[in-house]
Amino acid sequence: MSTTVDKSKLQRIVVKVGTSSLTYPSGKIHLRKMEELITVLSDLKNRGLEIILVSSGAIAVGVGKMGYDKRPADLPGKQACAAIGQCELMYLYDKFFSQYHVKVAQILLTKDAFEVDERRENVTNTFLRLLQMDVLPIVNENDSVTVEEIIVGDNDTLSALVALIVQADALIMLSDIDGVYDSDPRKNPDAIKLETANLNSKRVREGVSGAGSSHAIGGMITKFSAASLTTPAGIHTWVMNGEEPKDLYRFFDGEPLGTLFVEGEEDD
Ligand code: GLU
């Protein structure tokens, strides 16, 4: 299936970056990658795009900052690490983005911000005003206060919910893999990266979940669920590799990087 999007028409973009793109396994910040991402996003903003960044990493960075060798198992421990790490993350974002004179703002959300009408309206207005003020919002889940009733749970879904309320033109979820494959590339050297992934295809879903393997590939299950929210709403949604943030230049110049989610025929 071939679907082309005129990327030069995309204006309001939500970019989601995950913990593995921002940190080393120890939880220490991967400064080179973080700095590169910030440079590219600042430059894309200079090009005229409106960018909202959804960034994970709070818990891992908190764990790294405290020098723990693994994440605490209990909820208060994780929430405390999130509080420590979020602060460090925002300090670095603010510092690096400031080098390019980009002003940033932090928005921490829980699920009720999207579900309760009045809260959704308030948070939407905040986003829109920040964009109008030429500020780049940086979003994470408010991990330190989330309990079961109000948790979104993963930042792919969070990025989709944000894209919906701000009526973004595109959502780009950066992963540690190039896109959606037709089978598990770790097992099948002939696996092919799909340029478009049909959300309605059982075959694609099975490839996405890495059926038969113990781990889903590149967090693809939640990326698929996120795209199931945004694609039907007309928000062009891609997953692409976040390893080299400069690839975003090639992406916006029209190269077919990553995988675009589409709604096609059902095959089951
Ligand atoms: N909010 C979590 C964090 O910042 C990450 C959740 C996710 O990556 O899906 O550590």
Side-chain angles (χ1 to χ4, degrees):
M1 186 188 313
S2 128
T3 307
T4 45
V5 174
D6 181 354
K7 291 176 184 161
S8 68
K9 297 256 171 14
L10 304 176
Q11 166 72 25
R12 184 170 293 170
I13 319 284
V14 176
V15 176
K16 185 260 167 179
V17 62
T19 302
S20 64
S21 301
L22 291 172
T23 59
Y24 291 103
S26 64
K28 300 272 184 210
I29 307 244
H30 199 310
L31 287 166
R32 179 186 62 79
K33 272 208 245 169
M34 188 175 188
E35 219 178 336
E36 271 175 26
L37 178 68
I38 288 165
T39 304
V40 171
L41 294 181
S42 301
D43 204 13
L44 291 172
K45 192 168 172 303
N46 285 352
R47 209 191 254 207
L49 300 183
E50 289 175 321
I51 311 265
I52 294 169
L53 178 62
V54 176
S55 172
S56 306
I59 298 176
V61 170
V63 168
K65 192 164 181 183
M66 294 307 291
Y68 299 154
D69 55 6
K70 59 177 177 1
R71 290 175 176 235
D74 63 320
L75 185 62
K78 283 192 199 111
Q79 294 186 313
C81 283
I84 295 160
Q86 182 64 27
C87 189
E88 172 87 357
L89 260 186
M90 283 312 296
Y91 167 72
L92 287 168
Y93 275 127
D94 198 17
K95 183 174 150 84
F96 289 143
F97 271 116
S98 296
Q99 290 175 358
Y100 301 106
H101 310 288
V102 172
K103 293 177 277 299
V104 298
Q106 168 184 264
I107 302 195
L108 298 178
L109 297 170
T110 43
K111 197 163 72 177
D112 50 335
F114 303 98
E115 289 182 345
V116 180
D117 287 350
E118 196 188 338
R119 292 189 190 171
R120 189 177 56 246
E121 203 176 305
N122 278 326
V123 78
T124 305
N125 289 340
T126 306
F127 272 115
L128 297 181
R129 182 59 65 89
L130 285 168
L131 292 174
Q132 222 176 57
M133 291 160 83
D134 202 27
V135 171
L136 188 152
I138 301 179
V139 184
N140 197 356
E141 178 139 37
N142 196 353
D143 296 312
S144 301
V145 302
T146 39
V147 287
E148 211 174 317
E149 297 76 48
I150 54 164
I151 196 168
V152 175
D154 71 88
N155 275 10
D156 293 324
T157 306
L158 179 66
S159 67
L161 295 172
V162 168
L164 285 169
I165 62 167
V166 302
Q167 298 184 307
D169 299 316
L171 167 63
I172 302 171
M173 291 177 280
L174 300 176
S175 177
D176 50 13
I177 190 166
D178 297 342
V180 179
Y181 280 76
D182 65 346
S183 59
D184 188 341
R186 294 167 305 188
K187 291 186 175 159
N188 176 9
D190 298 324
I192 295 168
K193 194 214 78 177
L194 306 174
E195 215 164 288
T196 56
N198 178 3
L199 290 164
N200 299 325
S201 159
K202 190 168 172 237
R203 258 200 322 276
V204 170
R205 275 204 305 275
E206 281 173 0
V208 159
S209 61
S213 71
S214 53
H215 295 291
I217 314 149
M220 221 44 97
I221 295 175
T222 48
K223 291 189 174 51
F224 198 94
S225 326
S228 304
L229 296 173
T230 46
T231 301
I235 299 169
H236 303 298
T237 301
W238 283 269
V239 56
M240 68 176 272
N241 204 327
E243 183 58 32
E244 294 294 338
K246 285 194 176 122
D247 286 348
L248 281 166
Y249 291 131
R250 294 168 48 215
F251 173 87
F252 279 105
D253 286 342
E255 283 191 44
L257 296 182
T259 297
L260 172 68
F261 290 96
V262 294
E263 290 188 291
E265 297 291 313
E266 290 184 25
D267 59 8
D268 49 344

